Amino acid sequence: MNAVLQFLDVERNVGDSADAIRAELSEVIGSLGFDYFTLVRQPGPESDARDIMLAGQWPKGWPELYVKRKYAAVDPIIRYLGHSQRGYRWGESMLAFEEDPHHKRMERVMVDARRYGLEDGYVFPVHGRRGLVGVLSVAGRAVELTPSEMSMMDALAKKAFWDILHALDPAAYERIARPVSVQMTRREMETLEYLGYGMTSNEMGATLGLSAHTVDWYMNGIQEKLQAKNRHHVVAIAFRLGLIS
């Protein structure tokens, strides 16, 4: 893990190129015994779906098969991202979906992955102030990582993501990394909490002692502050920002 520590200790300069950082990251991951890795941006408003790959590569032919068989819809490794704030091993994600109706197809994903030399691997999510922003995946031969090494890999994923993103797209870096400041009144916070419970305007009004019209007025204010498109979007954003749980 000395190579990981050295990568973490490097202070990047404004002129550092993304290619140089990618090369360093590839060398570090290779030194740990992994054959493949990818570092990607989370598709969404803050990133272009056509340019989500920041570094690394998968075995030749695997991405094409993955897309052809539409594995993204059932891939347990990807689906488990919503359950974890820290890194995890591939097997952990399979165990989490043992009772899932798509479990057989999930097993097929893993069988096909092994055919391409992806015997085992780990995933390290990168979170920003607005939720999941990136993912580092390492794979190939089976490599055992201790809990302390997992923590170091979490740190490696975060530093590599932010360093490469800053070198590639400083504007996107600033948008994603800047602090989120949302000022809510007490009544707005109460309304938001009840919305998270799935209440309608009439139900919230009865609980708060307000008319449905007044509740809608508060909801419009909340939606504007969060720059949300609708009430479902309000809940999603509020959850990511920690305003509701």
Side-chain angles (χ1 to χ4, degrees), residues 48-105:
D48 188 332
R50 297 168 299 179
D51 190 29
I52 64 172
M53 181 76 79
L54 296 181
Q57 64 179 9
W58 288 127
K60 184 178 180 180
W62 171 242
E64 291 78 11
L65 180 71
Y66 190 91
V67 172
K68 179 181 178 181
R69 296 190 172 172
K70 301 179 180 179
Y71 280 155
V74 296
D75 188 345
I77 300 165
I78 300 303
R79 287 181 59 183
Y80 197 65
L81 278 169
H83 298 254
S84 180
Q85 295 291 315
R86 295 182 177 276
Y88 53 89
R89 198 169 188 170
W90 285 6
E92 186 179 339
S93 65
M94 284 298 294
L95 288 174
F97 297 109
E98 279 188 319
E99 304 301 322
D100 191 281
H102 300 290
H103 188 72
K104 287 293 184 182
R105 193 152 181 247

Side-chain angles (χ1 to χ4, degrees), residues 1 9 24 59 63 103 124 192 226 243:
M1 281 285 160
D9 282 339
E24 290 178 39
H103 188 72
F124 301 93
L192 187 57
L226 295 181
L243 297 173

Side-chain angles (χ1 to χ4, degrees), residues 121-142:
Y122 297 83
V123 173
F124 301 93
V126 179
H127 292 88
R129 295 179 181 272
R130 291 169 173 78
L132 183 70
V133 293
V135 180
L136 172 67
S137 300
V138 295
R141 294 162 288 173

